[in-house]
Amino acid sequence: MSDDAKAAKELVETLRDGEKGYTQAADRVRDGDHAAWAGTLERLAAQRREFRAEIVALGHEYGDDVDESGTATAALHRGWMALKDALTGDDPQGVLGAAVTGEDHAISEYDKALEQDLSEGFRSVVERQRSAVQAARDEVKALQQAS
């Protein structure tokens, strides 16, 4: 399996988790004092969905099926799992804190991917997406600090 395929599989899982996490977070804050946050969180969920689709499409171009579920062990280590715990409470700050934690994990997955011997085209996509994920983390942090 190529480094592109290995990295793509991990990133697809991370992006899937991020999409689910942001969707759940938006649902959680929609009816409270911070309902305006829901739009931002929904936009970030859509961004993760688009990033995942882009990586899956690239994988298909290379003849790889990178949209498979990961291993059970990998699922235990995903950063977005922290969001699940925060969503059981009613604390909007906890929801944002968990989102930041999830984004920190996503950035580390992108960094791991960039340490591999990626093809030039895939590396460019990974670098661009990593920058956008970092910007999203900063945006969520700003929401958290503004409240």
Side-chain angles (χ1 to χ4, degrees), residues 4 13 27 33 35-36 40-42 51 59 79 86 97 101 105 110 122 125 128 139 141 146:
D4 282 10
E13 286 296 319
D27 290 344
D33 292 339
T40 298
L41 299 171
E42 288 169 343
F51 285 176
T101 299
H105 173 73
Y110 275 92
F122 187 58
V125 169
R128 178 178 41 79
E139 184 177 2
K141 276 185 175 181

Side-chain angles (χ1 to χ4, degrees), residues 21-47:
Y22 274 128
T23 298
Q24 291 171 346
D27 290 344
R28 193 68 177 155
V29 301
R30 185 177 327 285
D31 296 327
D33 292 339
H34 302 288
W37 294 354
T40 298
L41 299 171
E42 288 169 343
R43 178 177 47 78
L44 294 174
Q47 181 188 61

Side-chain angles (χ1 to χ4, degrees), residues 12 15 48-58 129:
V12 164
L15 291 164
R48 295 306 175 276
R49 184 172 42 257
E50 291 166 12
F51 285 176
R52 182 169 48 90
E54 181 179 26
I55 290 175
V56 168
L58 279 173
Q129 288 187 3

